[in-house]
Amino acid sequence: QYDATATFFVMGQNVNESTRPIIERATSLGCEICNHSFSHPYMSQLSAEEQIEQARKTTQAIEQYTSTPKYFRPPYMDADSTTHRVIPQIFVGGSCPKDWDSSVSVEQRIEGLMQRACDGQIFLLHDFEGNNATPEALKVVIPALQRLGYGFVSVDELFTLKNFTPQKGVIHKRVEPKEEI
């Protein structure tokens, strides 16, 4: 509707034949599908083998319907040195208006997103059953930010457009604009 693409970080336990049409539609529109663990645990509370399994099972589930995910978003942004060492993907986070909390109104989500908007910002939003406030907020935020000159792209596109090489060992929440020489 708004000519905007995104990166969807999915939990492996939710990737199956019933969600296949959603995944295929997203990828056909230019969106990317990435890894958000299999069952959404606190990664640092798991053994290295359990962390590997969380990522591996999700990658396998995604690969049934689209390409291998390049990025990983740790649940709760919880990652320790083991997580960074054993998960092969680059880690991505973002700025979030607490949209997982049903007490945060549509208006508060709009305000939070508009206040955080800046060049290279990665927004972290949640898409789950019953969360109608985030889609309602986006109906306002996307056109408003587009009028201000912002574009909406996948994480991979953002890194490419900004000529940014993401690094292992950190959670990338924003791509800082490079200074002009």
Side-chain angles (χ1 to χ4, degrees):
Q1 179 177 353
Y2 302 107
D3 193 30
T5 56
T7 300
F8 293 94
F9 288 86
V10 299
M11 292 187 313
Q13 68 185 8
N14 296 332
V15 177
N16 54 52
E17 280 301 311
S18 70
T19 58
R20 177 185 196 152
I22 297 165
I23 292 168
E24 289 176 346
R25 180 174 182 268
T27 55
S28 75
L29 293 171
C31 297
E32 96 189 296
I33 308 297
C34 288
N35 194 323
H36 188 40
S37 80
F38 193 79
S39 62
H40 210 267
Y42 284 92
M43 297 298 283
S44 67
Q45 295 178 7
L46 303 177
S47 69
E49 294 75 23
E50 291 168 324
Q51 291 187 44
I52 291 167
E53 192 68 3
Q54 283 283 325
R56 185 191 64 74
K57 286 171 58 177
T58 302
T59 293
Q60 286 181 332
I62 292 168
E63 288 174 334
Q64 291 180 54
Y65 307 112
T66 189
S67 58
T68 301
K70 291 184 179 183
Y71 306 105
F72 179 81
R73 187 174 85 71
Y76 314 104
M77 302 306 286
D78 176 58
D80 60 12
S81 60
T82 299
T83 314
H84 284 284
R85 181 174 46 82
V86 301
I87 304 296
Q89 291 97 353
I90 297 292
F91 288 27
V92 174
S95 179
C96 181
K98 297 183 181 175
D99 73 329
W100 67 86
D101 181 348
S102 62
S103 71
V104 177
S105 70
V106 171
E107 293 75 21
Q108 289 170 316
R109 292 166 202 235
I110 292 168
E111 183 179 326
L113 290 165
M114 294 300 291
Q115 287 177 349
R116 290 173 175 87
C118 61
D119 188 27
Q121 181 64 62
I122 298 170
F123 285 128
L124 192 157
L125 302 171
H126 295 81
D127 174 17
F128 55 86
E129 192 171 341
N131 183 10
N132 299 320
T134 294
E136 288 303 312
L138 290 175
K139 288 178 185 177
V140 173
V141 171
I142 293 173
L145 290 177
Q146 286 174 329
R147 284 191 298 275
L148 293 173
Y150 289 100
F152 291 83
V153 297
S154 69
V155 168
D156 203 44
E157 289 174 293
L158 176 63
F159 290 159
T160 300
L161 287 169
K162 295 294 183 184
N163 194 27
F164 179 77
T165 304
Q167 304 296 311
K168 288 283 290 165
V170 297
I171 299 175
H172 298 282
K173 298 179 181 177
R174 180 173 175 231
V175 178
E176 297 287 336
K178 296 195 179 193
E179 289 189 34
E180 299 293 325
I181 297 177

